[in-house]
Amino acid sequence: NPWAAALVVIGALLVAFDSLISKTQKLTATEQLSLDLNKRIADSTAEKTTKIKNLVTAINDENTAEEKKKRLLEQLIALDPAMLSGLTQKNLKTAEGEQIIRSYIKAMEDAVKAEALFSMQVDVEKKIRSLELEAKSYDKLWKSYNEGVKGLGKAIWDSSKNMLGFGPIADWEKLQEEMKEAKAMRDELQKEAKQSINTPQSPDDKP
């Protein structure tokens, strides 16, 4: 059943998320984006997917009274009449009904993903702008630093610059790393958004 498969996937995604965040190794931008998107999709669709599962189970239960089955079917269709109006008590037990539900779940996940991508793109652009402004605050520091060591030669300058525990220099190095990670994430978001737009719909996803 599509709703059962969806619940298994959601559970697996949440377990994978908890497992990954407990590890100490640093994730790449691609891995982090995949993790964030999957968690958002799982968190946003779990409740409705569970509701669908419960409604379908009750409707297909032979012990459920006929009048109640009709009311439950109405509740199911009301989740999205445009996509679920083709459901009947009869086809809920067939591939036809399963395909309608599968298409609805896929559309729901795609909508969450599109919204998440947009939100994440806005956030990462804000972060990059903030980091760029912060980086400018170090201009005077580097000017003074360069003037102070100019007479000591490039070798000593480079050696001093790379001492990451050296006060403001360490902060600057950390800032540059954050900037690099934010820009890498922006690139991944743009790539994922473009791929989502260009990915053709599978025949199996069509209602």
Side-chain angles (χ1 to χ4, degrees):
N1 292 336
W3 45 263
L7 286 176
V8 171
V9 171
I10 289 170
L13 290 174
L14 292 174
V15 171
F17 175 79
D18 290 337
S19 175
L20 279 172
I21 61 176
S22 66
K23 296 180 181 179
T24 56
Q25 69 265 30
K26 201 172 189 65
L27 299 177
T28 66
T30 302
E31 292 170 337
Q32 187 64 56
L33 175 58
S34 176
L35 192 65
D36 290 345
L37 282 176
N38 286 335
K39 186 174 187 301
R40 289 197 186 201
I41 291 172
D43 288 344
S44 298
T45 60
E47 183 178 351
K48 188 168 285 188
T49 303
T50 299
K51 184 174 183 178
I52 292 172
K53 167 189 176 297
N54 293 336
L55 286 170
V56 172
T57 299
I59 294 169
N60 289 338
D61 189 341
E62 295 180 358
N63 295 320
T64 303
E66 188 63 26
E67 284 302 315
K68 185 174 181 180
K69 286 186 178 184
K70 291 179 180 179
R71 292 198 304 271
L72 293 175
L73 180 61
E74 290 174 357
Q75 290 179 33
L76 179 58
I77 293 174
L79 293 174
D80 190 330
M83 293 198 70
L84 301 177
S85 60
L87 290 175
T88 65
Q89 289 185 40
K90 183 177 180 180
N91 69 19
L92 271 178
K93 297 181 179 181
T94 69
E96 180 186 0
E98 290 182 358
Q99 183 57 55
I100 292 173
I101 292 176
R102 186 181 299 113
S103 297
Y104 170 65
I105 291 175
K106 177 66 166 55
M108 181 170 59
E109 291 175 343
D110 287 346
V112 171
K113 181 178 180 180
E115 184 178 343
L117 283 171
F118 177 78
S119 175
M120 292 168 75
Q121 283 179 303
V122 171
D123 289 344
V124 79
E125 289 294 347
K126 288 181 179 178
K127 183 175 182 178
I128 289 173
R129 286 197 296 271
S130 176
L131 290 172
E132 288 174 341
L133 288 173
E134 189 177 351
K136 288 185 178 296
S137 69
Y138 286 85
D139 289 349
K140 289 185 178 180
L141 168 70
W142 282 116
K143 182 178 179 180
S144 299
Y145 187 85
N146 290 334
E147 289 175 352
V149 299
K150 185 180 295 184
L152 299 178
K154 187 176 184 303
I156 294 179
W157 185 91
D158 286 341
S159 176
S160 299
K161 183 178 75 66
N162 290 321
M163 291 172 61
L164 300 185
F166 190 72
I169 297 178
D171 295 337
W172 185 85
E173 294 281 359
K174 182 180 179 181
L175 180 64
Q176 297 307 304
E177 184 62 26
E178 287 184 45
M179 182 85 74
K180 180 180 178 182
E181 291 174 0
K183 289 183 176 180
M185 178 59 75
R186 179 178 63 185
D187 291 344
E188 286 300 321
L189 283 165
Q190 291 174 346
K191 186 190 304 180
E192 183 66 33
K194 183 177 180 180
Q195 183 177 342
S196 296
I197 293 173
N198 294 334
T199 300
Q201 185 183 41
S202 167
D204 291 338
D205 294 332
K206 295 179 181 178

